[in-house]
Amino acid sequence: MQLYTWFYSLSEALPPEQEAALKADFTQFLSQWKSHGVPVEGMIEVRYGQFVVIKSDSSDSRPSGCSIDSLKRSVSKILNHHGLEVLDPAHVFFRQGDGSITQSHFRELGALAQSGVLTADTIVFDNSLGQSDDMNRWEVSLKELDRKSTRLN
């Protein structure tokens, strides 16, 4: 099964009660999501209270331009309703030594690498996985993402 995946990184981690309300609103939208009149089989996850992950199964109805636009508008509306801010892709999320998740703007990564905060073993979240059913590739060490680690030099 091939999944289309969209990642939305929140500026702050959600408390559990807000996470439940957010999931309920997204589930409502996904139950009505269509592509050219055909229901899109959508799924929602909130990972670590910090990432909204929306997936669609492309085997029945592949999301197209209008349905993807509908998704993006609904995501914006739902997140605004909950007072949540999505950070743009220039923000890179990673695990600190204690396992907590933090983020920095892309421009700060070189300084973080020089100071030792980021190393080749630092776990990063690769939000560029657009078409993947393998979430094991989402949370990987920096050394596994050669294309990103070269930006730190």
Side-chain angles (χ1 to χ4, degrees), residues 8-126:
Y8 297 91
S9 302
L10 304 177
S11 60
E12 297 179 27
L14 299 173
E17 61 277 0
Q18 190 174 17
E19 184 177 321
L22 186 69
K23 282 174 140 176
D25 286 350
F26 275 112
T27 299
Q28 173 68 25
F29 163 74
L30 293 173
S31 71
Q32 301 170 20
W33 191 23
K34 294 185 179 183
S35 178
H36 300 287
V38 178
V40 175
E41 196 64 39
M43 299 157 269
I44 172 83
E45 284 183 74
V46 178
R47 293 246 177 144
Y48 308 120
Q50 190 101 37
F51 305 97
V52 176
V53 182
I54 298 174
K55 302 176 196 174
S56 71
D57 178 357
S58 64
S59 60
D60 292 329
S61 177
R62 180 180 175 168
S64 64
C66 291
S67 61
I68 293 170
D69 289 346
S70 169
L71 169 67
K72 290 181 179 183
R73 279 191 309 273
S74 294
V75 165
S76 179
K77 182 179 174 183
I78 291 168
L79 293 176
N80 284 338
H81 172 75
H82 288 273
L84 300 172
E85 177 186 4
V86 173
L87 295 177
D88 65 52
H91 293 265
V92 177
F93 284 76
F94 58 93
R95 287 197 181 275
Q96 296 188 87
D98 65 0
S100 63
I101 297 170
T102 192
Q103 57 84 22
S104 284
H105 193 277
F106 173 73
R107 285 184 226 130
E108 300 168 354
L109 296 182
L112 291 171
Q114 286 182 341
S115 70
V117 172
L118 287 180
T119 68
D121 294 322
T122 299
I123 299 298
V124 296
F125 297 89
D126 183 9

